[in-house]
Amino acid sequence: MDQQLPGGYNFKLLRVDLSSGTTRTEPLDQAFCRRYIGGTGFIIHYLLTEVDPRIDALSPENKLIFAAGPLTGIALGGAARHAVGAKSPLTGGIAKSEAGEWWGAQLKRSGFDALIIEGRAEKPVYLWIHSGEVEIKDAAHLWGRRTKETQEAIRCEVGDENARIALIGPAAENLVSFACIMHGTHDAAGRGGLGAVMGSKNLKAVAVRGNTPPPIASRDGVRQVSTWLKENMDLVKSYHDLGTGGAMELFEQAGNLPAYNFREGRFPAVGGISPTRIRETIRVGMESCFACPVRCKKVVEVKEPYIVDRAYGGPEYETIGAFGSCCGIDDVRAVARANALCNAYSLDTISTGVTIAFAMECFEKGLLGKEDTGGIELRFGNDRAMLRVIELIVRREGIGELLAQGSARAAERIGGGGQKLAMQVKGLEIPMHEPRLSKELALGYMVNPHGADHMDNMMEL
């Protein structure tokens, strides 16, 4: 191995073959780390060099990759994220998503920079990675459980309440094309159907725990940056106070709040679903990702007319827009319930909300009828219909079987002009930002191999 970089890397990759039940570590040299940096760079390299683009995304030949960056695991605000990638069952291209939480930091502190999962287990399993050791454990008793129950059971089994767990729920087990990988119960690697890839491998969860921080080139330098961030919290005060979406009312005034399946960019009832409304009515706390002082992650609780368990966090901006304005719904309690269902079942809230909004417009235009929806009045503003359809998508029953494929494929099957109503780029549903208002964002969606991923594109208003 080349002389190691002074900090940021463990120079180790963990590879797990579920078909054979074997694991091995591989060295990462300095030149490789300098070239690909980590996170998405590592993922794209391995997918392009090791995965045949012609394979079925849900076949054992697909590879699911988790990769940290050089700052992941260092006690520095804003450096908690890691990336997850595979061939996408939703788009047929590369799926890349990111998550915060504490999982990436624990992977890094367990001695690894990345994890590649290959093959398919004969029966459900989960991985337990701790302080450089790896175990493949039986998960047959966990299959079919929601994320909260699964996390509680795994932490009990491994004897560590601080274990961090990337896991899937029933939607991913049922191979819904836009199922996500939850990290804990309210942080998601959401886009592109990565949960379905994990489900296709009979992999219920990856639990990690580490105690060795990655090497740091300059501890004084990290300390200085950390101190500066804490002293300048006013720069992110809106996130601390309201979480993501603090500018939602301003977005609405500018025409940048997708409403009614992107038919409009204005939603006058925005006050009923805004983060301010959430704070004033159902919010019970704010939480944080690893080492981050901002604490921007909402925690909500609702008793009626819907039950919302605080364990599933609270809706962030994209979720509020997807299940709120995009579906014409102005009841924040319904939005919170939709968010909790998606987190429990492991569904991407963006694709789920936009796909349901697409179905609502199809219903109102006569392309879908009650005979297609099982008698559900799937109209804009019908929050109970929206929540019912989420459950059907998870189980792939009735109209849920059609919508579980995503809006692009559903539109092809519906026909009759339905493709014009599917708000997607390259098969990936459009997030809650108006590309007709931001040409830079629209261009980014067009050239991004992942399609409509706002995390990879600049937006200027």
Side-chain angles (χ1 to χ4, degrees):
M1 183 186 299
D2 295 340
Q3 182 181 0
Q4 292 188 353
L5 292 171
Y9 297 96
N10 292 306
F11 295 96
K12 284 185 181 179
L13 176 146
L14 173 62
R15 197 180 288 263
V16 177
D17 187 333
L18 294 176
S19 295
S20 64
T22 60
T23 69
R24 71 176 189 272
T25 60
E26 299 175 3
L28 301 175
D29 64 25
Q30 179 183 136
F32 179 87
C33 292
R34 283 191 180 277
R35 173 169 292 182
Y36 298 107
I37 308 299
T40 301
F42 283 6
I43 288 170
I44 299 303
H45 166 78
Y46 285 110
L47 289 179
L48 291 178
T49 58
E50 296 188 3
V51 177
D52 187 331
R54 296 167 293 185
I55 66 164
D56 184 332
L58 299 178
S59 71
E61 289 72 33
N62 201 358
K63 299 190 179 186
L64 181 63
I65 305 173
F66 296 77
L71 295 180
T72 310
I74 295 174
L76 190 64
R81 298 178 76 82
H82 67 280
V84 190
K87 180 175 179 178
S88 171
L90 181 65
T91 71
I94 286 177
K96 183 279 303 178
S97 198
E98 299 171 9
E101 211 247 357
W102 292 53
W103 191 94
Q106 291 299 315
L107 178 71
K108 198 72 167 291
R109 289 173 171 232
S110 70
F112 302 104
D113 297 304
L115 165 66
I116 298 179
I117 300 167
E118 307 169 337
R120 174 186 292 151
E122 291 185 3
K123 60 182 181 179
V125 298
Y126 71 89
L127 302 182
W128 172 222
I129 303 169
H130 52 105
S131 300
E133 299 182 9
V134 187
E135 299 178 56
I136 301 177
K137 303 175 78 71
D138 177 58
H141 59 299
L142 301 174
W143 208 250
R145 293 196 187 187
R146 299 183 182 188
T147 55
K148 177 184 175 181
E149 300 163 350
T150 301
Q151 176 165 271
E152 290 173 348
I154 291 176
R155 283 177 168 171
C156 181
E157 290 178 14
V158 302
D160 193 336
E161 282 297 311
N162 293 314
R164 295 292 168 166
I165 304 173
L167 70 168
I168 58 172
E173 296 169 4
N174 293 334
L175 308 182
V176 173
S177 294
F178 45 86
C180 68
I181 299 176
M182 295 302 299
H183 290 72
T185 54
H186 50 271
D187 290 87
R191 313 298 333 262
L194 293 168
V197 175
M198 194 161 163
S200 74
K201 295 183 175 300
N202 277 330
L203 180 62
K204 181 65 173 178
V206 181
V208 295
R209 184 76 162 100
N211 298 303
T212 306
I216 298 174
S218 172
R219 294 191 180 278
D220 286 341
V222 170
R223 191 176 298 110
Q224 289 173 17
V225 173
S226 180
T227 299
W228 185 91
L229 289 171
K230 292 176 181 177
E231 292 176 348
N232 289 274
M233 282 288 291
D234 58 307
L235 298 174
V236 290
K237 188 177 187 301
S238 65
Y239 288 97
H240 179 73
D241 291 344
L242 297 171
T244 59
M248 199 165 183
E249 283 103 339
L250 295 178
F251 278 12
E252 194 276 335
Q253 293 173 20
N256 188 40
L257 181 62
Y260 305 103
N261 194 35
F262 283 81
R263 283 196 321 215
E264 302 174 24
R266 301 290 304 276
F267 189 65
V270 63
I273 57 174
S274 71
T276 301
R277 178 68 172 170
I278 291 174
R279 181 182 62 185
E280 294 172 347
T281 56
I282 63 175
R283 201 177 85 186
V284 294
M286 298 289 278
E287 294 186 355
S288 173
C289 293
F290 173 77
C292 186
V294 179
R295 299 186 66 82
C296 71
K297 309 189 81 63
K298 307 175 190 72
V299 180
V300 306
E301 187 174 63
V302 180
K303 300 296 185 182
E304 55 83 26
Y306 311 106
I307 301 297
V308 178
D309 188 340
R310 68 172 64 195
Y312 292 112
E316 303 299 333
Y317 169 71
E318 299 293 338
T319 306
I320 298 170
F323 290 117
S325 58
C326 204
C327 288
I329 291 169
D330 61 2
D331 186 342
V332 73
R333 299 168 299 177
V335 172
R337 174 64 177 172
N339 176 74
L341 289 175
C342 287
N343 289 351
Y345 292 128
S346 69
L347 282 173
D348 171 20
T349 59
I350 298 174
S351 283
T352 304
V354 175
T355 297
I356 292 175
F358 153 77
M360 287 175 166
E361 187 163 10
C362 287
F363 187 90
E364 293 199 347
K365 290 184 179 298
L367 300 180
L368 290 173
K370 286 188 177 181
E371 66 278 10
D372 302 302
T373 65
I376 298 173
E377 281 281 341
L378 195 55
R379 297 184 182 279
F380 289 119
N382 190 338
D383 53 356
R384 294 188 179 276
M386 174 193 70
L387 295 172
R388 176 63 178 150
V389 170
I390 293 174
E391 300 269 9
L392 293 175
I393 289 172
V394 172
R395 297 194 297 272
R396 303 192 71 140
E397 294 177 358
I399 188 67
E401 172 59 31
L402 173 68
L403 301 182
Q405 303 172 61
S407 60
R409 292 194 184 108
E412 290 179 1
R413 288 182 54 183
I414 292 170
Q419 288 173 301
K420 294 181 180 180
L421 307 181
M423 296 297 103
Q424 52 80 29
V425 178
K426 302 176 184 176
L428 187 67
E429 283 73 25
I430 302 176
M432 297 298 102
H433 310 275
E434 181 52 80
R436 288 169 294 194
L437 191 65
S438 171
K439 301 300 190 291
E440 296 87 348
L441 185 66
L443 176 62
Y445 289 168
M446 287 188 280
V447 301
N448 184 357
H450 194 203
D453 186 347
H454 67 292
M455 297 300 292
D456 292 335
N457 300 289
M458 295 296 292
M459 178 176 66
E460 295 292 340
L461 294 180

